[in-house]
Amino acid sequence: PMATLGKSGQQVTVLSAGTAFNLTPITLRAFQMEGISYIDTAHSYNGGNSEKAVGEWFTKSGRRKDTFLVTKCTNHNPVAWTAALSGSLESLKTDYVDAYYLHNLGDPDRLDGDMKAAQERLKKEGKIRLFGFSSHHDRMVDVLERAPDAGYVDVIMFKYSFRDLSNERLQRAIDKCHAAGIGLIAMKTQGGRSKEE
């Protein structure tokens, strides 16, 4: 099944393939055979080898254009975050990613004018299509609350499971992001309750 990713209008598979483990061509082919075309990786996954494995798979399979590709950077300084993308693109053997994230964002003040300018520049250069962040940080709710006010966040991947249904502050933050048209992606759905109650 497919879903629309917020106001971007981008259609993505409801299930995504996380790659924070030792990938093999067989694993990536299995994702493809099951119809999963959303691949989520990061420069930090498996010492950079996950991005390389995805890149090699693209070269062998020719499936890059059929894939919604996300990668992330743990350095949230706009200059370093921008520079790190070049290495990721080289490893992934592509000239763009569909979404580029600040990885595990916990400081809402990072969603400032400098970051806005950095992501706008990468979009203009055609290196990224969407900007966002992931978070399973202790301050996850803080960054979710700030995202709509920043005005330029396209997509957020955050820790969410049925155990979070009673977290009213988190629910309000989710509603605020949804109302702003931000695409929302749940991760760690079988994990424990969020620390912020």
Side-chain angles (χ1 to χ4, degrees), residues 76-179:
H76 300 162
N77 174 281
V79 174
W81 177 79
T82 300
L85 181 60
S86 295
S88 290
L89 293 176
E90 183 177 348
S91 293
L92 291 163
K93 302 192 186 315
T94 185
D95 55 3
Y96 75 99
V97 292
D98 294 284
Y100 190 39
Y101 291 171
L102 299 168
H103 194 16
N104 196 22
L105 183 64
D107 180 2
D109 291 337
R110 280 297 185 185
L111 298 174
D112 60 10
D114 290 339
M115 187 57 70
K116 179 181 181 182
Q119 60 90 33
E120 284 176 347
R121 186 164 55 253
L122 291 176
K123 286 177 178 176
K124 186 175 181 181
E125 292 170 356
K127 294 180 179 178
I128 71 172
R129 293 177 58 220
L130 303 174
F131 165 78
F133 63 84
S134 66
S135 189
H136 47 85
H137 195 279
D138 288 351
R139 296 189 66 195
M140 181 183 80
V141 178
D142 293 339
V143 294
L144 283 168
E145 289 173 337
R146 180 69 62 86
D149 299 331
Y152 60 90
V153 177
D154 300 306
V155 61
I156 302 169
M157 182 172 70
F158 63 102
K159 186 173 85 63
Y160 187 79
S161 78
F162 66 92
R163 296 176 180 89
D164 292 308
L165 292 173
S166 62
N167 185 335
E168 293 183 7
R169 184 178 169 215
L170 174 59
Q171 298 301 326
R172 287 194 300 272
I174 291 169
D175 288 344
K176 184 178 178 183
C177 289
H178 176 72

Side-chain angles (χ1 to χ4, degrees), residues 44-97:
S44 61
Y45 288 173
N46 198 22
N49 290 320
S50 286
E51 283 187 337
K52 289 176 183 174
V54 172
E56 289 170 10
W57 179 68
F58 285 151
T59 299
K60 291 176 182 175
S61 70
R63 297 300 298 260
R64 171 64 188 100
K65 299 233 180 262
D66 301 328
T67 303
F68 184 83
L69 177 63
V70 177
T71 196
K72 318 179 201 69
C73 178
T74 55
N75 192 325
H76 300 162
N77 174 281
V79 174
W81 177 79
T82 300
L85 181 60
S86 295
S88 290
L89 293 176
E90 183 177 348
S91 293
L92 291 163
K93 302 192 186 315
T94 185
D95 55 3
Y96 75 99
V97 292

